[in-house]
Amino acid sequence: MATVQDLISAISLVYLIYFVKSGMAAHPNFIIMLMDDMGWGDLGVYGEPNKETPNLDRMAEEGMLFPDFYSANPLCSPSRAALMSGRLPIRNGFYSDNAHARNAYTPQDIVGGIPDDEILLPEILKKAGYRNKIIGKWHLGQQPQYHPLKHGFDEWFGAPNCHFGPYDNKKTPNIPVYKDKQMIGRYYQDFLIDRETGESNLTQIYIQEALTFIESQVSSQEPFFLYWAVDATHEPLYASKPFLGTSRRGLYGDVVRELDYGVGKILNKLRQLGVQENTFVFFSSDNGAATYAKIHGGSNGPFLCGKETTFEGGMREPSIAWWPSRIIPGQVSNQLGSLMDLYSTLASLAGQDIPTDRVVDGLDLTKVLFGNYEIKRPLFYYRGNELMAVRLGEYKAHLWTWTNSVQEFQRGVNFCPGQSIENVTTHDQVNHTTEPLLFHIGRDPGEKYIIKPNSQEYKDNIGSIKQAVKQHRANLVPGKPQLNWCDKSVMNWSPPGCEKLGQCYNGPSSNPKKCVWPH
Amino acid sequence: MATVQDLISAISLVYLIYFVKSGMAAHPNFIIMLMDDMGWGDLGVYGEPNKETPNLDRMAEEGMLFPDFYSANPLCSPSRAALMSGRLPIRNGFYSDNAHARNAYTPQDIVGGIPDDEILLPEILKKAGYRNKIIGKWHLGQQPQYHPLKHGFDEWFGAPNCHFGPYDNKKTPNIPVYKDKQMIGRYYQDFLIDRETGESNLTQIYIQEALTFIESQVSSQEPFFLYWAVDATHEPLYASKPFLGTSRRGLYGDVVRELDYGVGKILNKLRQLGVQENTFVFFSSDNGAATYAKIHGGSNGPFLCGKETTFEGGMREPSIAWWPSRIIPGQVSNQLGSLMDLYSTLASLAGQDIPTDRVVDGLDLTKVLFGNYEIKRPLFYYRGNELMAVRLGEYKAHLWTWTNSVQEFQRGVNFCPGQSIENVTTHDQVNHTTEPLLFHIGRDPGEKYIIKPNSQEYKDNIGSIKQAVKQHRANLVPGKPQLNWCDKSVMNWSPPGCEKLGQCYNGPSSNPKKCVWPH
């Protein structure tokens, strides 16, 4: 009878054969699964105590785990703009300088959006013959000139802005849901989300959209890029009826379970269609869990604070790479990674160059994925127009600390519930640039123990960090800020296609004002 | 060519055959691997971000994970006494009533120890023909009448007390290391621990002791129980030279890596000797990570506070069950478990009855292990002589809250560094027994969001918890407290065997005093 050892040897052999075989495949398919406000600690494989993500845990077992992977920003729109452009928000314009170090995004009265001169990932892949689809939340501008189909995507099913509300749909229009270039309805009025029960079929629709697209692309033999940007873990949370009440974690857990189910459905579809060996899938999230949402927010595991902050909880993401036959299963990479790296990595895998006329922050991680190589690089934590912190190796230096204002905190807005660290989770914007607050993230992932500035360890490590900052600043040409101006006239009053639905509303006349970003 | 699916089917078949075969095996071997102050969040599989425990992670993949497993006490001696006796410390006497709700243990001037009338697990197993060995820390009393060989163990390699010190070895004797009934040296003077570098070979010795015992037992065909109670993650941390400086987590990580290596060596030895299908191994820890030790303490993951407290961080343990062919691999059990359950479970697996003349708190988990069945039970969180909290299902109610005194806290002793929750992490002993503080641990593992007493959820759930408390109290006969009296004359001055080593010292004459337990 075969022993377990024999079987393990046989499996290794199978993978080796797959590896050699698939090395020849050109134009692999790509799927980026980007969650919304999901935290590092929300997956079983990342230590969520209820262990309710069997599909993601299996994905990790079959793929490569990236526990040191980051978003480029602690907030949704800038993080997504960075992912799509391969560049920090400070470069691509997804920030505001209305005030210092403020998180800005794209509510529906924002005037700006992704600039035309940013070359987005789908534009690069299109040159290699890819068909590109975005499912879910775009968040790079709701005015038509900013839409995904103007920036490299071929298909779209989803919304330009966050699904929160509800709005009075005439005084303030509900967010439209698009199919490609035209809206096909609006949240709440057409795409129901029950704010009382959390019931909605949206995730099911997003799953089905993904499966249909994959099937269609496989049958046409055209390589594809699917950007699956589902948003159910962003408030208001929603899940379909069969998932409601099924989690030990309450509604948030129900939502995670449905997304995990969706991941399983998509990976299984790839297997069923026999394209799993030619499809690179990357799972991550746009920023840390929204700890301010209390039990409606996710978990950042052992990390400090959450979304909106440049502590680890704000930007460290639950990331998994999956590519049977190319990525050896069960590996862990401690590569310091960024969502921006997907830009350069996917371009590289598609045989395309990235732009050379500008700084691209994303690195090509193919060596990391296929050789478990580790690339040394600094990682920059921005909040709006300010470089707040830098990580280099295991060390992280805070140049500035801030959670939110005392006033906001006293009104009950808390980005660090249950956590408080003297001189770290400050409610004033504190400038540490001359003597940065230094932490060793490896032994102190919770950023609790400041390394004393007079210690040898501090002296040994601060120099290279300061050097990295200096070099970064020397090469920095800030983009024109896109998130400075707000104007109610640009809201989703009359999106393309509204006339067919009788949903064209009259907005007010233009009255641009500087947006107010409280934190 | 065989597909991956074929291989998975083949593996399932192999396990099925193993299962049927091993169902016939009588008197399986047992290994309890009990860590010292290791936290829930210290294992890769439990979300430690550096993922440096490949052997434990593999053990979990091959076995069953228990994310809801608890120690019976947030401190070492009572926790270990409960594990050995299957009974809460309040019953077996491992507590003090010198003051209210104080953590007490067995420093070397303690007069008490494990009472003779407690029937320990090795005593039960001995009746079934087992040979029992303890390697490492005993901690149930250092006076000879309390020694493990007087309480069911056949062999001992290790120490009666904690290895901290160092002591002036004549004014205050160093802790002896025993081989069976006699000491063979003392910490620091004979078994070196370099307090500067953390270097010590002790874990290597404990690993070798385990391997030798297993080999010898397998060759004699006598069933065995090995209690591998290693202590390197307890301050002062130590690791052997090849492991020092190898972890991304600093010294604590080096120590964990060496213990993980040891786990791998032991499991591999079982495989090499072909007894893995007849050996049940359980890995856990005696209490939560010592968060007060800062970077020299471990991680409790997303849980609140640590060792010494009855918050989740104090008592939730990183637990894994392993038994190839009997436990289906890769399972997670959300059974509310306790280290005391190992008492009843091992007795059951050895075909022995547990005592019926007293309350045994441990449950027989065989149905859970082999059928992934879930047993409903309340779980009690004690601190000294006080029932502080109760968990029933997903709800946890605090009857009392306390971290430590304001005075101690102001001196810098902090059981909850970086964490502070109003009305929860109190520095006064606050009595909530009439209206317990209620938490839903499933959606709020960090015990941050008190469920409002006027809410329907509170009303729906507090009744059954109060009922469980009432029932528990009705059946409670507190044991005679063993940890009330301290006396320098009972320290390890002249342990058995000291004369051969020239290490018999003269202690002071007897002068018993009530021990002072500050927290």
Side-chain angles (χ1 to χ4, degrees), chain A residues 7 11 40 45 47 49-51 65 67-68 248-249 294 316 334 394 417-420 440 442-443 448-449, chain B residues 7 11 40 45 47 49-51 65 67-68 248-249 294 316 334 394 417-420 440 442-443 448-449:
Chain A
L7 291 169
I11 291 171
W40 191 95
V45 67
N50 300 291
K51 293 264 173 191
L65 206 65
D68 293 79
R248 291 162 46 104
R249 292 183 75 189
K294 300 177 183 168
R316 193 122 138 181
N334 288 112
E394 294 303 296
Q419 297 177 317
S420 173
H440 187 287
R443 63 173 189 243
K448 291 177 181 166
Y449 306 108
Chain B
L7 291 169
I11 289 171
W40 190 95
V45 67
N50 299 291
K51 292 263 174 195
L65 206 64
D68 292 80
R248 292 162 45 104
R249 293 184 74 188
K294 300 178 182 168
R316 194 122 138 179
N334 288 112
E394 294 303 296
Q419 298 177 317
S420 172
H440 186 287
R443 62 173 189 247
K448 290 178 182 166
Y449 306 110

Side-chain angles (χ1 to χ4, degrees), chain A residues 234-392:
Chain A
H234 190 297
E235 275 195 300
L237 305 174
Y238 63 78
S240 67
K241 199 157 190 184
F243 287 90
L244 288 175
T246 63
S247 166
R248 291 162 46 104
R249 292 183 75 189
L251 178 58
Y252 188 88
D254 298 340
V255 174
V256 172
R257 288 195 68 243
E258 185 161 26
L259 293 168
D260 175 74
Y261 163 88
V263 169
K265 291 289 275 186
I266 292 172
L267 299 187
N268 274 336
K269 178 59 72 183
L270 298 173
R271 291 186 192 100
Q272 280 165 21
L273 298 173
V275 294
Q276 78 275 25
E277 294 159 40
N278 195 35
T279 306
F280 174 53
V281 185
F282 199 89
F283 178 94
S284 196
S285 181
D286 65 343
N287 45 244
T291 42
Y292 59 77
K294 300 177 183 168
I295 60 162
H296 279 188
S299 164
N300 295 315
F303 299 119
L304 186 61
C305 303
K307 179 178 172 179
E308 307 269 6
T309 77
T310 47
F311 300 109
E312 292 298 284
M315 292 174 60
R316 193 122 138 181
E317 307 304 334
S319 303
I320 307 171
W322 185 90
W323 190 348
S325 83
R326 286 302 301 272
I327 295 173
I328 295 172
Q331 291 180 95
V332 176
S333 170
N334 288 112
Q335 172 67 42
L336 258 189
S338 164
L339 284 175
M340 297 183 291
D341 299 341
L342 296 177
Y343 181 89
S344 304
T345 305
L346 268 54
S348 165
L349 289 167
Q352 294 297 308
D353 293 328
I354 55 170
T356 52
D357 62 344
R358 63 196 71 194
V359 174
V360 172
D361 296 283
L363 299 181
D364 176 358
L365 297 184
T366 51
K367 274 191 182 171
V368 179
L369 292 165
F370 310 133
N372 211 344
Y373 187 86
E374 198 164 331
I375 305 168
K376 280 220 161 192
R377 64 107 70 91
L379 203 105
F380 300 102
Y381 303 66
Y382 268 88
R383 182 161 171 168
N385 61 348
E386 187 57 82
L387 177 61
M388 304 286 289
V390 189
R391 180 173 168 184
L392 190 62

Side-chain angles (χ1 to χ4, degrees), chain B residues 180-484:
Chain B
D180 302 329
K181 289 183 184 164
Q182 298 204 316
M183 72 177 280
I184 53 166
R186 294 180 188 263
Y187 278 131
Y188 298 99
Q189 57 202 81
D190 306 297
F191 292 89
L192 305 182
I193 302 174
D194 185 323
R195 297 275 315 234
E196 288 296 308
T197 64
E199 186 180 344
S200 170
N201 288 327
L202 269 164
T203 296
Q204 289 299 321
I205 296 172
Y206 291 148
I207 295 169
Q208 194 49 55
E209 280 288 322
L211 302 179
T212 306
F213 176 66
I214 293 167
E215 278 170 359
S216 146
Q217 287 306 110
V218 170
S219 113
S220 76
Q221 299 194 301
E222 188 183 32
F224 67 83
F225 165 46
L226 170 60
Y227 177 33
W228 196 58
V230 288
D231 60 357
T233 38
H234 190 297
E235 274 194 301
L237 305 174
Y238 62 78
S240 68
K241 198 158 192 183
F243 287 90
L244 288 175
T246 63
S247 166
R248 292 162 45 104
R249 293 184 74 188
L251 178 58
Y252 188 87
D254 298 339
V255 174
V256 172
R257 288 194 68 243
E258 185 161 28
L259 293 168
D260 175 75
Y261 163 87
V263 169
K265 290 290 275 187
I266 291 172
L267 299 187
N268 274 337
K269 178 59 70 183
L270 298 174
R271 291 187 191 100
Q272 280 165 21
L273 297 174
V275 294
Q276 78 274 26
E277 295 158 39
N278 196 35
T279 306
F280 173 53
V281 186
F282 199 89
F283 178 93
S284 197
S285 181
D286 65 343
N287 46 242
T291 44
Y292 58 77
K294 300 178 182 168
I295 61 163
H296 278 188
S299 163
N300 294 314
F303 299 119
L304 186 61
C305 304
K307 179 178 172 180
E308 307 268 6
T309 77
T310 48
F311 300 109
E312 291 297 285
M315 291 175 61
R316 194 122 138 179
E317 306 305 333
S319 303
I320 306 172
W322 185 89
W323 190 349
S325 83
R326 285 303 302 271
I327 295 173
I328 296 172
Q331 291 180 96
V332 176
S333 170
N334 288 112
Q335 173 68 42
L336 260 188
S338 164
L339 284 175
M340 296 182 292
D341 299 342
L342 297 177
Y343 181 88
S344 303
T345 305
L346 267 54
S348 165
L349 288 167
Q352 293 297 308
D353 293 326
I354 56 171
T356 53
D357 62 344
R358 62 196 73 194
V359 174
V360 172
D361 295 284
L363 299 181
D364 176 358
L365 296 184
T366 51
K367 275 190 183 172
V368 178
L369 292 165
F370 309 132
N372 210 343
Y373 187 87
E374 198 164 330
I375 306 168
K376 280 219 160 192
R377 65 106 70 91
L379 204 105
F380 300 102
Y381 303 66
Y382 268 87
R383 183 161 171 168
N385 60 349
E386 187 56 83
L387 176 61
M388 304 286 288
V390 189
R391 181 173 168 185
L392 190 62
E394 294 303 296
Y395 289 94
K396 178 175 177 181
H398 290 276
L399 309 175
W400 287 84
T401 52
W402 193 36
T403 54
N404 59 351
S405 68
V406 177
Q407 294 76 10
E408 203 178 56
F409 181 68
Q410 284 170 346
R411 279 202 308 276
V413 181
N414 189 353
F415 297 153
C416 315
Q419 298 177 317
S420 172
I421 297 172
E422 209 180 350
N423 299 325
V424 180
T425 53
T426 61
H427 289 287
D428 290 319
Q429 295 190 349
V430 183
N431 185 347
H432 307 275
T433 43
T434 53
E435 194 174 75
L437 290 189
L438 190 68
F439 292 91
H440 186 287
I441 290 297
R443 62 173 189 247
D444 177 22
E447 293 164 279
K448 290 178 182 166
Y449 306 110
I450 299 171
I451 297 171
K452 292 201 178 83
N454 58 3
S455 68
Q456 194 56 43
E457 187 177 16
Y458 190 94
K459 288 170 193 159
D460 288 348
N461 290 286
I462 201 67
S464 53
I465 290 177
K466 284 190 169 176
Q467 184 57 33
V469 171
K470 198 175 157 190
Q471 209 170 328
H472 172 69
R473 287 207 169 118
N475 293 322
L476 184 64
V477 182
K480 187 179 167 228
Q482 295 294 318
L483 309 179
N484 278 354

